[in-house]
C-alpha cells in the first residue's frame, strides 16, 4: 500500500514553499564564514522534521534513518562508495539505483511533459547558455506544486516535448513531502511493513509534538498525520541552509569574490562550449538577471547509455533492466510509453566532486571516467562496453535493444562516430574535472587568498 498524501494540504504547502523560495533557489546573498551560526532558527515544524530525519527508530530495524543514506557531512549523499545502498530489516537488502543527494532539491519542479527548456534550445545554437533559460529552471517551486502550467497530456508525442522534473531518478514523485516518506516503506530502505506501522511509530514516539503543532484530532487520522510528517520533513529541507548553501568556489566566482585558476577557467570554457564538453546544455551554470544562482541541472531526462554495472546484484539477472521512467519503480501512464524508456533525470552537478559513484547505476567512480565516457562512448565504444562471446562490442548494454533508439546521439560530445576525433583530449578532460571541483560547497576565499600570497 503506498503512503497516502492528503492533498487537501497541497495549497498550504505551496504557500509555505513560496515563502522561502528565495532561500531555496539560491538568491545571491553574501555568505559569511559563520553563516550557519547566524541563520534564523528553524520553525517548530522544521525542528520536528529534523528530529525525524535523524531518527533510526522510524525504520523497520531501528537502525536506519534518512541521514544513513543522506549524510549531512557528505552534502546529504551517501558517505560510502557502494553503487547501491543496503537496507531492509537486516541491512542486507541492496537497492537498485545509486542514492541521489538531497542537497538542492528544493527547486525541483513537479514531473511534466512539455517543451524543451529555453536553455537547452539556446545551448544548441550557442556555446553559452542564455540567462532566460536559466531563469526558467530556477523559477521558485513550491513543496508540492508544479513549476509551470505547461504540462501536456501524457500521450503527447513531438520532438520538442520532453519529460522534466519530479523526485528520484525516474521523477515518479512530485514533492519533497512525498519523497521524504517513500523510503519508510521501501523493502530495501527503511523497510517498515506498511503505512499503519509508520503511523503507529509516529503516534508513539512523536504524538505529543505532533498534537502540539497540528492539534489533537490529527492523532486519530492516519492519512492526515502521515501528510503532516511529510510536510515537517520537507520544511526541514527548505529551512536548513546546509541543504542549499551556495558556498562553492564557483558561487564566489559568480559573485566576483573569487578567481578561477587557469586550469579551472579552461575547464569552464570547455564546459560551456557547445562543440566540446557541451555540459552547460543540461547542467545550467549561469546566474539569472535577478541574482539567482544556477542549479546545474535543467531537470530534464536523458538516455545516455551508461554501461551496465555488475556490482548491482539485480543485474545478475541477464533479463533484468532498469529503464528509468519505464520502471521497475515507476508504474503509470508515462512508464508505458516506449519513448520514455531508458530516460533518467539529469542530476545537479553541485558537490559532484564529493560523490563516490556516478550515474543512476553508480557504474563510475571518478569524474575523469565519467567525462571520458561522454567523449569515448561512440568513437571508441570498446573502451566503454563489454564484448560478447564472438568479440563484438555490446554497445548500450544496460538497455534492451528496442529502447536504444532513445539514446542521445545528437548532442555533443555524443554526436561523434567511429573514427572521429574526440571532442576532448585527456588534458581537456582534466581541465573540465578541475572546474567541476569548484562546485563543492564550503569554499573559504580567505584560505585561498593566503595560499596565493605565499
Amino acid at each position: 500500500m503506498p503512503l497516502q498524501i492528503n492533498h487537501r494540504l497541497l495549497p498550504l504547502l505551496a504557500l509555505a514553499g513560496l515563502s522561502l523560495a528565495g532561500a531555496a533557489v539560491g538568491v545571491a546573498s553574501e555568505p559569511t564564514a559563520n553563516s550557519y551560526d547566524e541563520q534564523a532558527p528553524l520553525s517548530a515544524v522544521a525542528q520536528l522534521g529534523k528530529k525525524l530525519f535523524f531518527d533510526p527508530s522510524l525504520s523497520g530495524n531501528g537502525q536506519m534513518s534518512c541521514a544513513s543514506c543522506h549524510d549531512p557531512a557528505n552534502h546529504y549523499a551517501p558517505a560510502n562508495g557502494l553503487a547501491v545502498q543496503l537496507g531492509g530489516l537486516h541491512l542486507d537488502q541492496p537497492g537498485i539505483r545509486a542514492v541521489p543527494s538531497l542537497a538542492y532539491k528544493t527547486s525541483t519542479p513537479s514531473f511534466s511533459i512539455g517543451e524543451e527548456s529555453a536553455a537547452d534550445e539556446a545551448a544548441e545554437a550557442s556555446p553559452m547558455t542564455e540567462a532566460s533559460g536559466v531563469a526558467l529552471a530556477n523559477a521558485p517551486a513550491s513543496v508540492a506544486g508544479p513549476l509551470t502550467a505547461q504540462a501536456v497530456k501524457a500521450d503527447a508525442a513531438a520532438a520538442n516535448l520532453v519529460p522534466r522534473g519530479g523526485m528520484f531518478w525516474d521523477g515518479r514523485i512530485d514533492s519533497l513531502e512525498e519523497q521524504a516518506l517513500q523510503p519508510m516503506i521501501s523493502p530495501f530502505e527503511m523497510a517498515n511493513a506498511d503505512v499503519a506501522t509508520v503511523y503507529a511509530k509516529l503516534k508513539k514516539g512523536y504524538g505529543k509534538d505532533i498534537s502540539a503543532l497540528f492539534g489533537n484530532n490529527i492523532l486519530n487520522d492516519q492519512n492526515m498525520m502521515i501528510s503532516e510528517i511529510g510536510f515537517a520533513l520537507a520544511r526541514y529541507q527548505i529551512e536548513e541552509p546546509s541543504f542549499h548553501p551556495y558556498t562553492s568556489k564557483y558561487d564566489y566566482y559568480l559573485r566576483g569574490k573569487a578567481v578561477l585558476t587557469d586550469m579551472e577557467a579552461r575547464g569552464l570554457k570547455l564546459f560551456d562550449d557547445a562543440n566540446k564538453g557541451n555540459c552547460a546544455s543540461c547542467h545550467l551554470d549561469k546566474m539569472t538577471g535577478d541574482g539567482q544562482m544556477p542549479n546545474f541541472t535543467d531537470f530534464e531526462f536523458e538516455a545516455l547509455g551508461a554501461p551496465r554495472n555488475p556490482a548491482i546484484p539485480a543485474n545478475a539477472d541477464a533479463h533484468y533492466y532498469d529503464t528509468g521512467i519505464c520502471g521497475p519503480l515507476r508504474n503509470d501512464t508515462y512508464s508505458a510509453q516506449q519513448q520514455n524508456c531508458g530516460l533518467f533525470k539529469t542530476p545537479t552537478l553541485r558537490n559532484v566532486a564529493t560523490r563516490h559513484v556516478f550515474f543512476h547505476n553508480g557504474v563510475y567512480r571518478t569524474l575523469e571516467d565519467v567525462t571520458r565516457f561522454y567523449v569515448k562512448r561512440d568513437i571508441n565504444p570498446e573502451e566503454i562496453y563489454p564484448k560478447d562471446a564472438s568479440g563484438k562490442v555490446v554497445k548500450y548494454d544496460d538497455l534492451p535493444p528496442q529502447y536504444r533508439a532513445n539514446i542521445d546521439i545528437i548532442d555533443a560530445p555524443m554526436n561523434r562516430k567511429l573514427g572521429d576525433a574526440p571532442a576532448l583530449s585527456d588534458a581537456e578532460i582534466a581541465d573540465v574535472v578541475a572546474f567541476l571541483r569548484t562546485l563543492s560547497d564550503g569554499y573559504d576565499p580567505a584560505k585561498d587568498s593566503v595560499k596565493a600570497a605565499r
Side-chain angles (χ1 to χ4, degrees):
M1 175 181 176
L3 284 168
Q4 299 297 311
I5 301 301
N6 192 320
H7 292 283
R8 289 176 293 170
L9 289 178
L10 295 187
L12 296 176
L13 293 172
L15 290 172
L18 287 171
S19 70
L20 285 174
V25 299
V27 174
S29 58
E30 284 293 334
T32 62
N34 60 344
S35 291
Y36 296 157
D37 295 334
E38 297 174 352
Q39 75 183 66
L42 298 177
S43 68
V45 174
Q47 289 179 45
L48 173 60
K50 182 176 182 178
K51 290 180 183 179
L52 298 166
F53 190 86
F54 290 97
D55 188 354
S57 73
L58 296 179
S59 65
N61 56 42
Q63 301 178 64
M64 189 176 196
S65 70
C66 303
S68 297
C69 290
H70 300 288
D71 185 350
N74 199 48
H75 307 288
Y76 296 97
N80 61 46
L82 296 176
V84 295
Q85 299 301 302
L86 298 175
L89 290 178
H90 304 290
L91 295 179
D92 60 355
Q93 296 299 305
I96 63 172
R97 293 175 183 154
V99 173
S101 167
L102 286 183
Y104 298 101
K105 284 289 187 287
T106 50
S107 52
T108 303
S110 296
F111 184 85
S112 66
I113 304 290
E115 293 187 6
E116 189 175 18
S117 74
D120 288 332
E121 293 175 358
E124 290 173 4
S126 168
M128 302 298 287
T129 302
E130 295 295 333
S132 59
V134 186
L136 175 61
N138 280 338
S142 70
V143 178
L147 181 68
T148 74
Q150 295 181 352
V152 297
K153 292 182 179 179
D155 60 358
N160 65 333
L161 296 181
V162 298
R164 183 171 185 262
M167 300 292 174
F168 301 115
W169 283 103
D170 55 15
R172 67 187 184 274
I173 296 298
D174 275 340
S175 69
L176 283 175
E177 178 198 27
E178 295 172 280
Q179 183 277 327
L181 294 167
Q182 291 298 307
M184 292 186 181
I185 57 170
S186 166
F188 52 79
E189 293 179 83
M190 296 175 76
N192 285 290
D194 50 30
V195 179
T197 302
V198 177
Y199 169 63
K201 288 182 177 181
L202 292 169
K203 190 172 182 179
K204 179 180 179 181
Y206 291 92
K208 184 176 180 181
D209 291 337
I210 292 170
S211 62
L213 286 170
F214 306 114
N216 291 327
N217 290 340
I218 196 173
L219 297 180
N220 298 316
D221 187 328
Q222 176 177 302
N223 286 349
M224 183 63 78
M225 182 186 286
I226 292 294
S227 289
E228 295 288 21
I229 290 307
F231 182 36
L233 284 162
R235 290 308 306 174
Y236 173 54
Q237 293 180 62
I238 290 172
E239 294 183 30
E240 168 54 53
S242 61
F243 280 98
H244 35 75
Y246 296 92
T247 56
S248 71
K249 181 176 183 179
Y250 187 66
D251 291 312
Y252 280 93
Y253 166 77
L254 290 179
R255 296 181 180 104
K257 302 294 184 180
V259 177
L260 300 182
T261 67
D262 290 346
M263 193 174 188
E264 293 164 350
R266 291 195 303 268
L268 172 57
K269 185 176 180 180
L270 294 164
F271 188 94
D272 286 338
D273 191 330
N275 295 312
K276 300 290 285 182
N278 195 32
C279 316
S281 65
C282 294
H283 299 284
L284 313 181
D285 65 344
K286 299 294 182 288
M287 285 178 69
T288 64
D290 59 356
Q292 293 179 8
M293 307 304 283
N295 285 305
F296 278 87
T297 175
D298 58 6
F299 304 106
E300 293 178 2
F301 287 71
E302 288 278 347
L304 297 174
R308 195 171 179 88
N309 187 357
I312 297 179
N315 283 342
D317 179 355
H319 300 290
Y320 168 82
Y321 290 98
D322 184 350
T323 55
I325 292 178
C326 290
L329 296 177
R330 183 167 188 161
N331 183 21
D332 61 8
T333 305
Y334 300 105
S335 67
Q337 297 175 353
Q338 182 164 322
Q339 69 268 24
N340 291 332
C341 298
L343 273 65
F344 294 87
K345 191 174 68 173
T346 299
T348 178
L349 292 185
R350 287 185 168 277
N351 298 304
V352 69
T354 67
R355 296 302 303 264
H356 301 292
V357 297
F358 304 93
F359 289 135
H360 71 277
N361 61 1
V363 66
Y364 290 121
R365 293 180 173 274
T366 71
L367 288 172
E368 288 80 4
D369 285 343
V370 173
T371 311
R372 194 170 290 111
F373 160 78
Y374 287 100
V375 174
K376 297 282 191 176
R377 190 195 73 179
D378 297 297
I379 65 171
N380 297 109
E382 73 281 359
E383 296 184 26
I384 303 298
Y385 300 102
K387 296 179 181 179
D388 62 18
S390 67
K392 180 181 178 181
V393 175
V394 186
K395 197 173 179 182
Y396 311 142
D397 66 320
D398 203 26
L399 197 62
Q402 66 267 30
Y403 302 141
R404 292 175 186 172
N406 294 338
I407 292 173
D408 185 356
I409 57 172
I410 296 173
D411 298 311
M414 298 174 292
N415 58 352
R416 265 64 169 179
K417 296 179 176 59
L418 283 171
D420 286 350
L424 299 172
S425 67
D426 286 346
E428 289 174 324
I429 289 173
D431 288 341
V432 170
V433 171
F435 169 67
L436 293 175
R437 296 189 187 283
T438 71
L439 306 182
S440 299
D441 287 317
Y443 173 73
D444 187 343
K447 290 183 179 178
D448 227 16
S449 297
V450 171
K451 289 180 182 178
R454 289 176 178 172

